[in-house]
């Protein structure tokens, strides 16, 4: 069990991370920014650290530097293509995972779109909308819907209208240096989740 931390966190909000770690027995943390890496190394020695996609690891130099910082694993940037992944020259001592399914967060903002619908009273600490509940969305001029949710700190996260899907490219991963392939679930219904996992079930890498 890992706690996934937001990619934006202010100084006063680290106490919330402390509370979460002290109230739950976890195996590690999925760090959303470099400050979180340092915070965990200094305050929770021995807790496994894996960096999230928001750190945008895109090359061998940055991944190997993460190892030097004491990070045990990294999540590759979702912008990387298979050719770039094949060219990576990294230490076998660091875990590397790739997201093969999931909606990409395209923006994190303190602005709440629900203000325009009179569903927001600007009291974020007492918001009635559950965290990571994707029952609302923004629609662009082309009719595409971008799901939105509130993160654990009350900020609005806007997700891409279409999820990444690499189920038809799994054969290309056989000779790559991944220790895990990741599936991110957001607003999918139960039957869709079942189908997604069935599709990837023959892949030994899936976390």
């Amino acid at each position: 069990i890992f706690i996934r931390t937001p990619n934006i966190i202010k100084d006063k909000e680290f106490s919330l991370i402390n509370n979460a770690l002290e109230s739950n027995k976890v195996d590690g943390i999925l760090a959303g920014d470099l400050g979180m890496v340092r915070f965990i190394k200094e305050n929770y020695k021995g807790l496994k650290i894996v960096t999230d996609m928001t750190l945008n690891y895109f090359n061998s130099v940055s991944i190997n530097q993460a190892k030097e910082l004491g990070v045990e694993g990294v999540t590759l940037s979702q912008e990387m293509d298979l050719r770039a992944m094949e060219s990576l020259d990294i230490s076998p001592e660091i875990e590397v995972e790739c997201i093969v399914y999931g909606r990409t967060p395209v923006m994190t903002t303190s602005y709440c779109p629900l203000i325009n619908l009179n569903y927001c009273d600007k009291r974020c600490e007492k918001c009635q909308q559950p965290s990571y509940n994707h029952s609302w969305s923004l629609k662009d001029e082309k009719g595409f819907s971008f799901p939105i949710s509130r993160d654990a700190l009350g900020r609005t996260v806007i997700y891409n209208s279409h999820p990444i899907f690499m189920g038809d490219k799994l054969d290309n991963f056989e000779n790559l240096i991944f220790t895990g392939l990741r599936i991110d679930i957001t607003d999918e219904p139960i039957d869709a989740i079942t189908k997604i996992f069935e599709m990837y079930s023959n892949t030994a890498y899936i976390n």
Side-chain angles (χ1 to χ4, degrees):
I1 298 176
F2 277 62
I3 288 182
R4 185 180 189 178
T5 65
N7 62 315
I8 296 176
I9 184 167
K10 299 178 181 179
D11 286 352
K12 64 180 181 180
E13 295 168 336
F14 277 92
S15 61
L16 300 176
I17 304 299
N18 270 327
N19 293 339
L21 290 172
E22 292 171 2
S23 302
N24 300 277
K25 185 177 181 180
V26 300
D27 302 302
I29 194 147
L30 187 59
D33 78 326
L34 283 176
M36 184 58 62
V37 172
R38 179 170 181 176
F39 175 77
I40 296 300
K41 295 298 292 185
E42 292 180 350
N43 296 281
Y44 294 91
K45 299 184 186 302
L47 190 63
K48 185 174 182 178
I49 302 174
V50 176
T51 56
D52 207 354
M53 60 181 176
T54 49
L55 273 81
N56 209 35
Y57 286 106
F58 212 99
N59 57 66
S60 304
V61 176
S62 58
I63 295 173
N64 287 323
Q65 180 61 36
K67 178 182 176 297
E68 295 299 317
L69 294 174
V71 170
E72 284 87 351
V74 301
T75 306
L76 295 180
S77 169
Q78 291 179 292
E79 301 295 329
M80 288 191 75
D81 57 26
L82 287 169
R83 182 173 297 180
M85 294 177 187
E86 291 172 353
S87 68
L88 290 174
D89 181 19
I90 59 178
S91 169
E93 297 178 7
I94 189 166
E95 298 178 7
V96 178
E97 71 176 19
C98 175
I99 298 175
V100 293
Y101 177 87
R103 292 185 185 273
T104 303
V106 295
M107 181 183 294
T108 301
T109 174
S110 295
Y111 173 76
C112 179
L114 299 185
I115 290 177
N116 295 329
L117 299 175
N118 295 322
Y119 278 95
C120 178
D121 59 7
K122 300 182 181 180
R123 300 170 64 190
C124 297
E125 70 283 357
K126 297 182 179 180
C127 181
Q128 298 301 307
Q129 297 294 323
S131 299
Y132 304 107
N133 182 350
H134 304 82
S135 57
W136 299 88
S137 64
L138 299 176
K139 185 175 288 188
D140 66 10
E141 67 279 1
K142 296 182 179 179
F144 293 112
S145 294
F146 295 75
I148 63 174
S149 70
R150 184 176 67 88
D151 69 15
L153 300 177
R155 297 186 181 92
T156 298
V157 182
I158 305 173
Y159 296 85
N160 206 333
S161 58
H162 297 291
I164 286 176
F165 176 77
M166 302 189 75
D168 57 342
K169 298 180 176 64
L170 291 180
D171 290 344
N172 297 314
F173 287 88
E174 290 184 1
N175 298 319
L176 299 181
I177 41 74
F178 300 125
T179 52
L181 303 182
R182 186 169 119 196
I183 294 174
D184 278 352
I185 298 298
T186 50
D187 62 341
E188 294 82 356
I190 294 298
D191 59 337
I193 295 173
T194 301
K195 291 179 180 179
I196 291 167
F197 276 91
E198 287 176 349
M199 186 177 301
Y200 287 97
S201 62
N202 293 325
T203 305
Y205 293 112
I206 292 297
N207 289 329

